[in-house]
Short mmCIF file of all heavy atoms in Angstrom, two decimals:
data_model
loop_
_atom_site.label_atom_id
_atom_site.label_comp_id
_atom_site.label_asym_id
_atom_site.label_seq_id
_atom_site.Cartn_x
_atom_site.Cartn_y
_atom_site.Cartn_z
N MET A 1 -6.34 -0.22 16.04
CA MET A 1 -5.10 -0.31 15.26
C MET A 1 -5.34 0.15 13.84
O MET A 1 -6.24 -0.36 13.16
CB MET A 1 -4.62 -1.77 15.22
CG MET A 1 -4.03 -2.19 16.54
SD MET A 1 -2.42 -1.49 16.81
CE MET A 1 -1.74 -2.80 17.81
N PRO A 2 -4.57 1.07 13.40
CA PRO A 2 -4.79 1.59 12.04
C PRO A 2 -4.16 0.68 10.99
O PRO A 2 -3.25 -0.09 11.29
CB PRO A 2 -4.06 2.93 12.07
CG PRO A 2 -2.97 2.74 13.07
CD PRO A 2 -3.48 1.74 14.07
N ASP A 3 -4.64 0.81 9.82
CA ASP A 3 -3.97 0.19 8.70
C ASP A 3 -2.96 1.18 8.16
O ASP A 3 -3.20 2.37 8.11
CB ASP A 3 -4.98 -0.16 7.60
CG ASP A 3 -5.80 -1.37 7.99
OD1 ASP A 3 -5.36 -2.11 8.90
OD2 ASP A 3 -6.85 -1.57 7.40
N TYR A 4 -1.84 0.67 7.75
CA TYR A 4 -0.80 1.53 7.22
C TYR A 4 -0.75 1.42 5.71
O TYR A 4 -0.90 0.33 5.16
CB TYR A 4 0.56 1.16 7.81
CG TYR A 4 0.64 1.44 9.29
CD1 TYR A 4 0.44 0.43 10.21
CD2 TYR A 4 0.91 2.73 9.74
CE1 TYR A 4 0.50 0.69 11.57
CE2 TYR A 4 0.98 3.00 11.09
CZ TYR A 4 0.77 1.98 12.00
OH TYR A 4 0.83 2.23 13.34
N SER A 5 -0.53 2.54 5.09
CA SER A 5 -0.44 2.55 3.64
C SER A 5 1.01 2.43 3.21
O SER A 5 1.89 3.05 3.80
CB SER A 5 -1.02 3.85 3.08
OG SER A 5 -2.38 3.94 3.38
N PHE A 6 1.22 1.63 2.21
CA PHE A 6 2.56 1.46 1.67
C PHE A 6 2.52 1.59 0.17
O PHE A 6 1.49 1.39 -0.47
CB PHE A 6 3.11 0.07 2.03
CG PHE A 6 3.25 -0.14 3.50
CD1 PHE A 6 2.22 -0.72 4.22
CD2 PHE A 6 4.40 0.24 4.17
CE1 PHE A 6 2.33 -0.92 5.59
CE2 PHE A 6 4.52 0.05 5.53
CZ PHE A 6 3.50 -0.53 6.25
N VAL A 7 3.68 1.91 -0.36
CA VAL A 7 3.80 1.95 -1.82
C VAL A 7 5.07 1.20 -2.19
O VAL A 7 6.10 1.30 -1.53
CB VAL A 7 3.82 3.40 -2.35
CG1 VAL A 7 4.96 4.21 -1.75
CG2 VAL A 7 3.89 3.42 -3.87
N CYS A 8 4.98 0.41 -3.23
CA CYS A 8 6.13 -0.35 -3.69
C CYS A 8 7.01 0.55 -4.55
O CYS A 8 6.53 1.22 -5.46
CB CYS A 8 5.67 -1.56 -4.50
SG CYS A 8 7.05 -2.48 -5.20
N GLU A 9 8.30 0.56 -4.23
CA GLU A 9 9.21 1.40 -5.00
C GLU A 9 9.54 0.79 -6.35
O GLU A 9 10.09 1.45 -7.22
CB GLU A 9 10.51 1.59 -4.21
CG GLU A 9 10.32 2.41 -2.95
CD GLU A 9 11.64 2.64 -2.23
OE1 GLU A 9 12.55 1.82 -2.41
OE2 GLU A 9 11.74 3.64 -1.51
N GLU A 10 9.25 -0.46 -6.51
CA GLU A 10 9.63 -1.13 -7.76
C GLU A 10 8.53 -1.07 -8.80
O GLU A 10 8.79 -0.86 -9.98
CB GLU A 10 10.00 -2.58 -7.47
CG GLU A 10 11.25 -2.68 -6.60
CD GLU A 10 11.77 -4.10 -6.54
OE1 GLU A 10 11.76 -4.79 -7.56
OE2 GLU A 10 12.18 -4.52 -5.45
N CYS A 11 7.31 -1.28 -8.38
CA CYS A 11 6.23 -1.30 -9.36
C CYS A 11 5.18 -0.22 -9.08
O CYS A 11 4.26 -0.04 -9.85
CB CYS A 11 5.58 -2.68 -9.44
SG CYS A 11 4.64 -3.10 -7.97
N GLY A 12 5.32 0.46 -7.95
CA GLY A 12 4.40 1.56 -7.66
C GLY A 12 3.06 1.13 -7.13
O GLY A 12 2.14 1.93 -7.05
N ALA A 13 2.94 -0.13 -6.77
CA ALA A 13 1.66 -0.62 -6.25
C ALA A 13 1.39 -0.03 -4.88
O ALA A 13 2.27 0.04 -4.04
CB ALA A 13 1.68 -2.14 -6.18
N HIS A 14 0.17 0.37 -4.69
CA HIS A 14 -0.26 0.88 -3.39
C HIS A 14 -1.03 -0.22 -2.67
O HIS A 14 -1.86 -0.89 -3.27
CB HIS A 14 -1.15 2.10 -3.55
CG HIS A 14 -0.44 3.29 -4.10
ND1 HIS A 14 -0.18 4.41 -3.35
CD2 HIS A 14 0.07 3.52 -5.32
CE1 HIS A 14 0.47 5.29 -4.10
NE2 HIS A 14 0.63 4.77 -5.30
N PHE A 15 -0.76 -0.36 -1.40
CA PHE A 15 -1.51 -1.34 -0.64
C PHE A 15 -1.47 -0.96 0.82
O PHE A 15 -0.68 -0.12 1.25
CB PHE A 15 -0.96 -2.75 -0.85
CG PHE A 15 0.48 -2.91 -0.44
CD1 PHE A 15 0.79 -3.50 0.78
CD2 PHE A 15 1.50 -2.47 -1.25
CE1 PHE A 15 2.10 -3.66 1.17
CE2 PHE A 15 2.82 -2.62 -0.87
CZ PHE A 15 3.13 -3.22 0.34
N THR A 16 -2.33 -1.55 1.58
CA THR A 16 -2.38 -1.26 3.01
C THR A 16 -2.15 -2.54 3.79
O THR A 16 -2.50 -3.63 3.36
CB THR A 16 -3.74 -0.67 3.41
OG1 THR A 16 -4.76 -1.55 3.01
CG2 THR A 16 -3.95 0.68 2.74
N LYS A 17 -1.51 -2.38 4.92
CA LYS A 17 -1.27 -3.51 5.80
C LYS A 17 -1.67 -3.15 7.21
O LYS A 17 -1.45 -2.04 7.67
CB LYS A 17 0.23 -3.88 5.79
CG LYS A 17 0.63 -4.74 4.63
CD LYS A 17 0.18 -6.18 4.83
CE LYS A 17 0.80 -7.06 3.75
NZ LYS A 17 0.24 -8.40 3.70
N HIS A 18 -2.23 -4.09 7.86
CA HIS A 18 -2.52 -3.92 9.27
C HIS A 18 -1.30 -4.41 10.06
O HIS A 18 -0.94 -5.57 9.99
CB HIS A 18 -3.76 -4.73 9.63
CG HIS A 18 -4.16 -4.56 11.06
ND1 HIS A 18 -5.03 -3.57 11.47
CD2 HIS A 18 -3.78 -5.22 12.17
CE1 HIS A 18 -5.19 -3.68 12.78
NE2 HIS A 18 -4.44 -4.66 13.24
N LEU A 19 -0.67 -3.47 10.76
CA LEU A 19 0.55 -3.83 11.47
C LEU A 19 0.32 -3.78 12.97
O LEU A 19 -0.14 -2.79 13.52
CB LEU A 19 1.68 -2.87 11.10
CG LEU A 19 2.20 -2.95 9.69
CD1 LEU A 19 3.38 -2.01 9.53
CD2 LEU A 19 2.63 -4.36 9.35
N GLY A 20 0.68 -4.86 13.60
CA GLY A 20 0.62 -4.89 15.06
C GLY A 20 1.95 -4.45 15.64
O GLY A 20 2.88 -4.08 14.93
N PHE A 21 2.03 -4.50 16.93
CA PHE A 21 3.24 -4.04 17.60
C PHE A 21 4.45 -4.86 17.22
O PHE A 21 5.54 -4.36 17.00
CB PHE A 21 3.05 -4.10 19.12
CG PHE A 21 2.41 -2.88 19.67
CD1 PHE A 21 1.14 -2.95 20.22
CD2 PHE A 21 3.06 -1.66 19.63
CE1 PHE A 21 0.53 -1.81 20.74
CE2 PHE A 21 2.46 -0.52 20.14
CZ PHE A 21 1.19 -0.61 20.70
N ASN A 22 4.27 -6.14 17.14
CA ASN A 22 5.42 -7.02 16.92
C ASN A 22 5.64 -7.34 15.45
O ASN A 22 6.48 -8.15 15.11
CB ASN A 22 5.22 -8.33 17.69
CG ASN A 22 5.10 -8.07 19.17
OD1 ASN A 22 5.82 -7.23 19.70
ND2 ASN A 22 4.21 -8.77 19.84
N GLN A 23 4.88 -6.70 14.63
CA GLN A 23 5.01 -6.99 13.20
C GLN A 23 6.32 -6.42 12.66
O GLN A 23 6.63 -5.25 12.85
CB GLN A 23 3.85 -6.37 12.43
CG GLN A 23 3.85 -6.69 10.95
CD GLN A 23 2.89 -7.82 10.64
OE1 GLN A 23 1.89 -8.01 11.30
NE2 GLN A 23 3.19 -8.58 9.62
N ASN A 24 7.05 -7.27 12.03
CA ASN A 24 8.30 -6.82 11.43
C ASN A 24 8.03 -6.28 10.03
O ASN A 24 7.54 -6.98 9.17
CB ASN A 24 9.29 -7.98 11.35
CG ASN A 24 10.67 -7.50 10.96
OD1 ASN A 24 10.87 -6.33 10.67
ND2 ASN A 24 11.62 -8.39 10.94
N ARG A 25 8.35 -5.04 9.86
CA ARG A 25 8.04 -4.40 8.58
C ARG A 25 8.96 -4.88 7.46
O ARG A 25 8.68 -4.68 6.30
CB ARG A 25 8.19 -2.88 8.72
CG ARG A 25 6.90 -2.15 8.39
CD ARG A 25 7.13 -0.66 8.39
NE ARG A 25 6.77 -0.07 9.67
CZ ARG A 25 7.15 1.14 10.05
NH1 ARG A 25 7.92 1.86 9.26
NH2 ARG A 25 6.78 1.62 11.19
N SER A 26 10.06 -5.50 7.84
CA SER A 26 11.03 -5.88 6.81
C SER A 26 10.56 -7.06 5.99
O SER A 26 11.10 -7.33 4.93
CB SER A 26 12.38 -6.19 7.46
OG SER A 26 12.25 -7.29 8.33
N ASN A 27 9.55 -7.77 6.47
CA ASN A 27 9.09 -8.89 5.66
C ASN A 27 7.85 -8.53 4.85
O ASN A 27 7.15 -9.40 4.37
CB ASN A 27 8.85 -10.13 6.53
CG ASN A 27 7.84 -9.87 7.63
OD1 ASN A 27 7.07 -8.91 7.56
ND2 ASN A 27 7.83 -10.70 8.64
N LEU A 28 7.63 -7.26 4.71
CA LEU A 28 6.52 -6.83 3.88
C LEU A 28 6.86 -7.02 2.40
O LEU A 28 7.98 -6.79 1.99
CB LEU A 28 6.23 -5.34 4.11
CG LEU A 28 5.45 -5.00 5.37
CD1 LEU A 28 5.39 -3.49 5.52
CD2 LEU A 28 4.05 -5.57 5.29
N VAL A 29 5.90 -7.44 1.68
CA VAL A 29 6.07 -7.52 0.24
C VAL A 29 4.86 -6.88 -0.42
O VAL A 29 3.76 -6.88 0.13
CB VAL A 29 6.21 -8.98 -0.25
CG1 VAL A 29 7.52 -9.58 0.23
CG2 VAL A 29 5.04 -9.80 0.18
N CYS A 30 5.08 -6.34 -1.58
CA CYS A 30 4.00 -5.74 -2.31
C CYS A 30 3.16 -6.85 -2.96
O CYS A 30 3.59 -8.01 -3.01
CB CYS A 30 4.53 -4.75 -3.34
SG CYS A 30 4.67 -5.39 -5.00
N PRO A 31 1.98 -6.53 -3.45
CA PRO A 31 1.13 -7.55 -4.08
C PRO A 31 1.80 -8.25 -5.26
O PRO A 31 1.37 -9.32 -5.67
CB PRO A 31 -0.10 -6.75 -4.55
CG PRO A 31 -0.16 -5.62 -3.60
CD PRO A 31 1.28 -5.25 -3.31
N ASN A 32 2.86 -7.65 -5.76
CA ASN A 32 3.57 -8.26 -6.87
C ASN A 32 4.86 -8.93 -6.43
O ASN A 32 5.66 -9.37 -7.25
CB ASN A 32 3.86 -7.21 -7.95
CG ASN A 32 2.58 -6.67 -8.56
OD1 ASN A 32 1.66 -7.43 -8.85
ND2 ASN A 32 2.51 -5.38 -8.73
N GLY A 33 5.07 -9.00 -5.13
CA GLY A 33 6.19 -9.76 -4.63
C GLY A 33 7.48 -9.00 -4.44
O GLY A 33 8.52 -9.59 -4.19
N HIS A 34 7.45 -7.69 -4.54
CA HIS A 34 8.67 -6.91 -4.36
C HIS A 34 8.89 -6.59 -2.88
O HIS A 34 7.95 -6.57 -2.10
CB HIS A 34 8.60 -5.61 -5.17
CG HIS A 34 8.35 -5.85 -6.63
ND1 HIS A 34 7.31 -5.26 -7.31
CD2 HIS A 34 8.99 -6.63 -7.51
CE1 HIS A 34 7.33 -5.67 -8.57
NE2 HIS A 34 8.33 -6.50 -8.71
N HIS A 35 10.11 -6.29 -2.57
CA HIS A 35 10.45 -6.07 -1.17
C HIS A 35 10.83 -4.63 -0.85
O HIS A 35 11.08 -4.31 0.30
CB HIS A 35 11.60 -6.99 -0.76
CG HIS A 35 11.19 -8.43 -0.71
ND1 HIS A 35 10.74 -9.04 0.43
CD2 HIS A 35 11.13 -9.37 -1.68
CE1 HIS A 35 10.44 -10.30 0.16
NE2 HIS A 35 10.66 -10.52 -1.12
N HIS A 36 10.93 -3.81 -1.83
CA HIS A 36 11.29 -2.42 -1.57
C HIS A 36 10.02 -1.62 -1.30
O HIS A 36 9.45 -1.00 -2.20
CB HIS A 36 12.08 -1.83 -2.75
CG HIS A 36 13.43 -2.44 -2.89
ND1 HIS A 36 14.09 -2.54 -4.09
CD2 HIS A 36 14.25 -2.99 -1.97
CE1 HIS A 36 15.25 -3.13 -3.90
NE2 HIS A 36 15.36 -3.42 -2.62
N ILE A 37 9.63 -1.66 -0.06
CA ILE A 37 8.37 -1.04 0.30
C ILE A 37 8.62 0.26 1.04
O ILE A 37 9.47 0.34 1.92
CB ILE A 37 7.55 -1.99 1.20
CG1 ILE A 37 7.35 -3.32 0.49
CG2 ILE A 37 6.24 -1.37 1.58
CD1 ILE A 37 6.70 -3.20 -0.87
N GLN A 38 7.90 1.25 0.66
CA GLN A 38 8.01 2.55 1.31
C GLN A 38 6.72 2.86 2.03
O GLN A 38 5.63 2.66 1.51
CB GLN A 38 8.28 3.61 0.24
CG GLN A 38 8.64 4.96 0.81
CD GLN A 38 10.10 5.04 1.23
OE1 GLN A 38 10.45 4.80 2.36
NE2 GLN A 38 10.96 5.34 0.29
N ARG A 39 6.85 3.33 3.22
CA ARG A 39 5.68 3.77 3.97
C ARG A 39 5.09 5.00 3.29
O ARG A 39 5.82 5.91 2.91
CB ARG A 39 6.09 4.09 5.40
CG ARG A 39 4.99 4.62 6.26
CD ARG A 39 4.06 3.52 6.72
NE ARG A 39 2.94 4.11 7.43
CZ ARG A 39 2.99 4.50 8.70
NH1 ARG A 39 4.08 4.32 9.40
NH2 ARG A 39 1.95 5.05 9.26
N GLU A 40 3.81 4.99 3.16
CA GLU A 40 3.17 6.11 2.48
C GLU A 40 2.48 6.98 3.52
O GLU A 40 1.54 6.55 4.19
CB GLU A 40 2.16 5.59 1.47
CG GLU A 40 1.76 6.63 0.46
CD GLU A 40 0.81 6.04 -0.56
OE1 GLU A 40 -0.03 5.22 -0.18
OE2 GLU A 40 0.92 6.41 -1.73
N TYR A 41 2.97 8.18 3.65
CA TYR A 41 2.43 9.07 4.67
C TYR A 41 1.37 9.98 4.08
O TYR A 41 1.60 11.13 3.76
CB TYR A 41 3.55 9.91 5.27
CG TYR A 41 4.54 9.08 6.04
CD1 TYR A 41 5.73 8.69 5.47
CD2 TYR A 41 4.25 8.70 7.35
CE1 TYR A 41 6.64 7.93 6.18
CE2 TYR A 41 5.15 7.94 8.06
CZ TYR A 41 6.35 7.55 7.47
OH TYR A 41 7.24 6.80 8.16
N THR A 42 0.21 9.43 3.95
CA THR A 42 -0.88 10.25 3.46
C THR A 42 -2.01 10.18 4.47
O THR A 42 -2.10 9.24 5.25
CB THR A 42 -1.38 9.77 2.09
OG1 THR A 42 -1.70 8.39 2.19
CG2 THR A 42 -0.34 10.00 1.03
N ALA A 43 -2.83 11.14 4.45
CA ALA A 43 -3.99 11.12 5.33
C ALA A 43 -4.90 9.96 4.93
O ALA A 43 -5.01 9.65 3.76
CB ALA A 43 -4.75 12.44 5.24
N PRO A 44 -5.51 9.33 5.89
CA PRO A 44 -6.35 8.17 5.59
C PRO A 44 -7.49 8.53 4.64
O PRO A 44 -8.11 9.58 4.75
CB PRO A 44 -6.92 7.78 6.96
CG PRO A 44 -5.97 8.35 7.95
CD PRO A 44 -5.42 9.60 7.31
N GLN A 45 -7.71 7.62 3.72
CA GLN A 45 -8.83 7.72 2.79
C GLN A 45 -8.70 8.89 1.82
O GLN A 45 -9.56 9.13 1.02
CB GLN A 45 -10.17 7.85 3.53
CG GLN A 45 -10.40 6.79 4.57
CD GLN A 45 -10.47 5.40 3.97
OE1 GLN A 45 -10.68 5.25 2.78
NE2 GLN A 45 -10.27 4.38 4.78
N VAL A 46 -7.61 9.60 1.89
CA VAL A 46 -7.41 10.70 0.96
C VAL A 46 -6.36 10.28 -0.06
O VAL A 46 -5.48 9.49 0.25
CB VAL A 46 -6.94 11.96 1.70
CG1 VAL A 46 -6.65 13.10 0.74
CG2 VAL A 46 -8.00 12.39 2.70
N ASN A 47 -6.47 10.78 -1.23
CA ASN A 47 -5.45 10.55 -2.24
C ASN A 47 -5.43 9.11 -2.71
O ASN A 47 -4.49 8.67 -3.34
CB ASN A 47 -4.07 10.91 -1.66
CG ASN A 47 -3.18 11.54 -2.71
OD1 ASN A 47 -3.65 11.88 -3.79
ND2 ASN A 47 -1.93 11.70 -2.40
N PHE A 48 -6.44 8.37 -2.39
CA PHE A 48 -6.37 6.94 -2.64
C PHE A 48 -7.04 6.55 -3.95
O PHE A 48 -6.63 5.64 -4.61
CB PHE A 48 -7.03 6.19 -1.49
CG PHE A 48 -6.35 4.89 -1.23
CD1 PHE A 48 -5.16 4.86 -0.52
CD2 PHE A 48 -6.90 3.71 -1.70
CE1 PHE A 48 -4.53 3.66 -0.29
CE2 PHE A 48 -6.27 2.51 -1.47
CZ PHE A 48 -5.08 2.49 -0.77
N LYS A 49 -8.07 7.27 -4.30
CA LYS A 49 -8.72 6.98 -5.58
C LYS A 49 -8.33 8.02 -6.63
O LYS A 49 -9.08 8.32 -7.52
CB LYS A 49 -10.23 6.93 -5.40
CG LYS A 49 -10.78 8.14 -4.67
CD LYS A 49 -12.26 7.94 -4.36
CE LYS A 49 -12.78 9.09 -3.50
NZ LYS A 49 -14.17 8.88 -3.12
N GLY A 50 -7.14 8.55 -6.43
CA GLY A 50 -6.65 9.56 -7.36
C GLY A 50 -6.16 8.95 -8.65
O GLY A 50 -6.41 7.79 -8.96
N SER A 51 -5.39 9.71 -9.36
CA SER A 51 -4.97 9.27 -10.68
C SER A 51 -3.87 8.22 -10.61
O SER A 51 -3.74 7.40 -11.48
CB SER A 51 -4.50 10.47 -11.50
OG SER A 51 -3.62 11.25 -10.73
N GLY A 52 -3.07 8.28 -9.59
CA GLY A 52 -1.91 7.41 -9.54
C GLY A 52 -2.16 6.10 -8.83
O GLY A 52 -1.29 5.61 -8.13
N PHE A 53 -3.30 5.53 -9.02
CA PHE A 53 -3.59 4.28 -8.34
C PHE A 53 -3.40 3.12 -9.30
O PHE A 53 -4.24 2.82 -10.12
CB PHE A 53 -5.02 4.34 -7.81
CG PHE A 53 -5.33 3.17 -6.90
CD1 PHE A 53 -4.60 2.95 -5.76
CD2 PHE A 53 -6.37 2.31 -7.22
CE1 PHE A 53 -4.89 1.89 -4.94
CE2 PHE A 53 -6.67 1.24 -6.40
CZ PHE A 53 -5.92 1.03 -5.26
N TYR A 54 -2.26 2.49 -9.19
CA TYR A 54 -1.94 1.42 -10.12
C TYR A 54 -2.40 0.07 -9.56
O TYR A 54 -2.07 -0.29 -8.45
CB TYR A 54 -0.44 1.35 -10.36
CG TYR A 54 0.17 2.68 -10.69
CD1 TYR A 54 1.06 3.26 -9.79
CD2 TYR A 54 -0.12 3.33 -11.87
CE1 TYR A 54 1.64 4.46 -10.08
CE2 TYR A 54 0.46 4.55 -12.17
CZ TYR A 54 1.34 5.11 -11.27
OH TYR A 54 1.92 6.29 -11.54
N VAL A 55 -3.13 -0.63 -10.35
CA VAL A 55 -3.47 -1.99 -9.98
C VAL A 55 -3.18 -2.88 -11.18
O VAL A 55 -3.38 -2.49 -12.33
CB VAL A 55 -4.94 -2.15 -9.57
CG1 VAL A 55 -5.11 -1.81 -8.10
CG2 VAL A 55 -5.82 -1.26 -10.41
N THR A 56 -2.71 -4.06 -10.89
CA THR A 56 -2.34 -4.96 -11.98
C THR A 56 -3.57 -5.50 -12.70
O THR A 56 -3.60 -5.61 -13.91
CB THR A 56 -1.49 -6.11 -11.44
OG1 THR A 56 -2.05 -6.53 -10.21
CG2 THR A 56 -0.06 -5.67 -11.26
N ASP A 57 -4.58 -5.83 -11.93
CA ASP A 57 -5.81 -6.23 -12.60
C ASP A 57 -6.63 -4.98 -12.87
O ASP A 57 -7.08 -4.32 -11.96
CB ASP A 57 -6.58 -7.24 -11.75
CG ASP A 57 -7.11 -6.64 -10.47
OD1 ASP A 57 -6.31 -6.02 -9.75
OD2 ASP A 57 -8.30 -6.78 -10.21
N SER A 58 -6.78 -4.67 -14.11
CA SER A 58 -7.45 -3.43 -14.47
C SER A 58 -8.96 -3.63 -14.51
O SER A 58 -9.64 -3.01 -15.30
CB SER A 58 -6.94 -2.93 -15.82
OG SER A 58 -6.89 -3.98 -16.75
N LYS A 59 -9.43 -4.51 -13.68
CA LYS A 59 -10.87 -4.75 -13.61
C LYS A 59 -11.60 -3.51 -13.10
O LYS A 59 -12.53 -3.02 -13.69
CB LYS A 59 -11.18 -5.92 -12.70
CG LYS A 59 -11.09 -7.26 -13.38
CD LYS A 59 -12.20 -7.39 -14.41
CE LYS A 59 -12.23 -8.79 -15.03
NZ LYS A 59 -12.73 -9.79 -14.10
N LYS A 60 -11.10 -3.03 -11.96
CA LYS A 60 -11.73 -1.88 -11.35
C LYS A 60 -11.32 -0.61 -12.08
O LYS A 60 -10.30 -0.01 -11.77
CB LYS A 60 -11.38 -1.81 -9.86
CG LYS A 60 -9.95 -2.19 -9.56
CD LYS A 60 -9.67 -2.21 -8.08
CE LYS A 60 -10.02 -3.54 -7.42
NZ LYS A 60 -9.53 -3.63 -6.05
N THR A 61 -12.06 -0.28 -13.07
CA THR A 61 -11.69 0.84 -13.92
C THR A 61 -11.82 2.16 -13.18
O THR A 61 -10.86 2.85 -12.93
CB THR A 61 -12.56 0.87 -15.19
OG1 THR A 61 -13.90 0.63 -14.83
CG2 THR A 61 -12.09 -0.16 -16.18
N ASP A 62 -13.02 2.48 -12.84
CA ASP A 62 -13.22 3.74 -12.14
C ASP A 62 -14.41 3.60 -11.22
O ASP A 62 -15.55 3.61 -11.64
CB ASP A 62 -13.45 4.87 -13.15
CG ASP A 62 -13.21 6.23 -12.49
OD1 ASP A 62 -13.00 6.27 -11.27
OD2 ASP A 62 -13.26 7.23 -13.20
N LYS A 63 -14.09 3.44 -9.95
CA LYS A 63 -15.16 3.23 -8.98
C LYS A 63 -15.57 4.54 -8.32
O LYS A 63 -16.03 4.55 -7.20
CB LYS A 63 -14.72 2.23 -7.93
CG LYS A 63 -13.44 2.65 -7.25
CD LYS A 63 -13.08 1.71 -6.12
CE LYS A 63 -11.82 2.19 -5.42
NZ LYS A 63 -11.48 1.36 -4.28
N ALA A 64 -15.31 5.62 -9.01
CA ALA A 64 -15.65 6.91 -8.44
C ALA A 64 -17.16 7.03 -8.27
O ALA A 64 -17.92 6.74 -9.18
CB ALA A 64 -15.12 8.02 -9.32
N ALA A 65 -17.54 7.46 -7.12
CA ALA A 65 -18.97 7.56 -6.84
C ALA A 65 -19.47 8.94 -7.21
O ALA A 65 -18.93 9.92 -6.76
CB ALA A 65 -19.25 7.29 -5.38
ZN1 ZN B 1 5.98 -4.11 -6.36
#
């Protein structure tokens, strides 16, 4: 089962969710509690450590290897 990438339309947070068959996507919330979630159709593991990766805790500054 793949993990699905989502992006919050309200705050732009990117996150991934593991969705099963019976999982209702309508109860998804972003890490900041918003409900306007958009499925992100990107290739896995690509585009993820790019420039537009917003995280609220700015601890992880740049984990580029
Ligand atoms: Zn949000």
Side-chain angles (χ1 to χ4, degrees):
M1 286 285 211
D3 285 342
Y4 293 98
S5 297
F6 298 92
V7 58
C8 176
E9 292 183 334
E10 295 191 40
C11 70
H14 293 249
F15 59 101
T16 56
K17 277 284 189 191
H18 182 90
L19 292 184
F21 274 113
N22 299 320
Q23 183 100 29
N24 190 355
R25 238 187 264 164
S26 63
N27 58 19
L28 282 173
V29 292
C30 98
N32 296 317
H34 304 126
H35 290 268
H36 292 152
I37 304 304
Q38 190 80 266
R39 177 78 186 279
E40 197 178 37
Y41 293 99
T42 54
Q45 308 297 342
V46 177
N47 217 10
F48 214 78
K49 50 187 174 184
S51 47
F53 189 59
Y54 311 113
V55 275
T56 41
D57 67 309
S58 47
K59 275 293 186 72
K60 39 184 86 170
T61 44
D62 198 354
K63 56 175 182 177

